[in-house]
Amino acid sequence: MPLDIAILVSGRGSNLGAILDAIKAGRLDAKVRAIVSNKDGVGALEIARRFGLEAKVIPSAGLAREEHEKLLFNYLKEFEIDYLVLAGYMRILSPYLLKKYEDERGFYRVVNIHPSLLPAFPGKDAYLDAFQYGVKLSGITIHLVDEDVDHGPILAQESFPRLPGDTIDQFRARGLAIEHVLYPSVLQQLAEQKEHQYASARGKR
Ligand code: GRF
């Protein structure tokens, strides 16, 4: 039983590509029900096309957060999904949209990837912030989203070093390579959880 997901993107789309690659290779048992970008003309749309998937553009420019999320949810509500997956989605989600994905324990079924060891370096360019701070060790965090920015229950973290003489580009590339393995593998864990829950619910009948 695959994990049903919708993926939100805003830019380059390398994490989207990594997730789609993992599905194709059979490393991730997931079904991408929808892909939405809040920006037109971005790399993520081209990546979706390459995999033969339709990606919807719902522009957010000039719209208040909730106004945009109403349009977004109006589209997303057509799809039965287990998780909303943020893959380089550069908008903060408001409680309006989060509450649509609230589970029975009060958590939101929304996953995000952030390129630092949270709670260190939340924000838009965590690679640069960590690099400029002079950290010797940074990392990648995958977490459930809550009402605060880059915050919520941590599902996985993986660290990587800043090596002597690293440029910011080398530092970013080291982290990005980890992102591309970690995100699909955490989603696969969620797929396995779904499978277990389904099997135990069946067992109880
Ligand atoms: C990644 O570094 C991700 O951790 C952060 O935004 C970046 C998105 O990159 N949230 P891409 O669009 O997936 O290539």
Side-chain angles (χ1 to χ4, degrees):
M1 162 157 302
L3 189 74
D4 292 301
I5 58 178
I7 304 181
L8 302 188
V9 294
S10 298
R12 177 179 57 185
S14 68
N15 278 289
L16 171 68
I19 292 166
L20 297 177
D21 267 337
I23 293 172
K24 202 169 164 193
R27 279 180 282 117
L28 170 55
D29 186 17
K31 189 100 196 131
V32 179
R33 300 291 175 192
I35 300 172
V36 183
S37 174
N38 67 317
K39 284 192 184 150
D40 206 353
V42 293
L45 298 172
E46 180 48 40
I47 290 176
R49 254 192 302 274
R50 225 184 291 148
F51 281 85
L53 297 171
E54 192 207 333
K56 175 97 176 152
V57 178
I58 303 180
S60 60
L63 296 184
R65 201 169 293 165
E66 235 185 88
E67 224 179 319
H68 177 249
E69 287 179 2
K70 280 186 178 145
L71 300 176
L72 188 58
F73 188 65
N74 199 37
Y75 178 70
L76 289 175
K77 72 178 190 319
E78 304 301 323
F79 307 96
E80 278 246 355
I81 56 166
D82 299 305
Y83 284 91
L84 196 55
V85 173
L86 309 184
Y89 187 64
M90 300 308 279
R91 296 271 290 188
I92 293 161
L93 298 185
S94 76
Y96 166 81
L97 191 67
L98 292 175
K99 294 229 182 297
K100 305 286 186 196
Y101 295 97
E102 189 164 0
D103 73 10
E104 56 291 340
R105 300 163 307 163
F107 294 116
Y108 302 123
R109 292 177 292 114
V110 182
V111 200
N112 184 39
I113 185 163
H114 184 78
S116 74
L117 291 175
L118 289 174
F121 305 111
K124 270 197 175 125
D125 197 347
Y127 282 122
L128 187 63
D129 294 343
F131 186 84
Q132 286 180 337
Y133 194 90
V135 298
K136 301 285 184 213
L137 192 72
S138 193
I140 305 300
T141 302
I142 294 177
H143 65 100
L144 292 181
V145 172
D146 69 11
E147 287 85 354
D148 295 323
V149 178
D150 296 326
H151 191 269
I154 290 175
L155 301 178
Q157 284 186 313
E158 190 171 329
S159 62
F160 64 90
R162 173 196 185 142
L163 299 179
D166 259 3
T167 62
I168 176 68
D169 288 348
Q170 289 166 325
F171 181 70
R172 268 187 211 283
R174 190 169 305 119
L176 201 60
I178 292 173
E179 292 192 40
H180 295 162
V181 178
L182 194 60
Y183 216 176
S185 87
V186 169
L187 294 176
Q188 175 57 20
Q189 283 168 26
L190 296 177
E192 284 163 21
Q193 258 174 35
K194 179 182 177 181
E195 188 70 49
H196 283 143
Q197 279 160 3
Y198 185 73
S200 60
R202 253 198 329 201
K204 279 189 202 131
R205 272 203 265 136

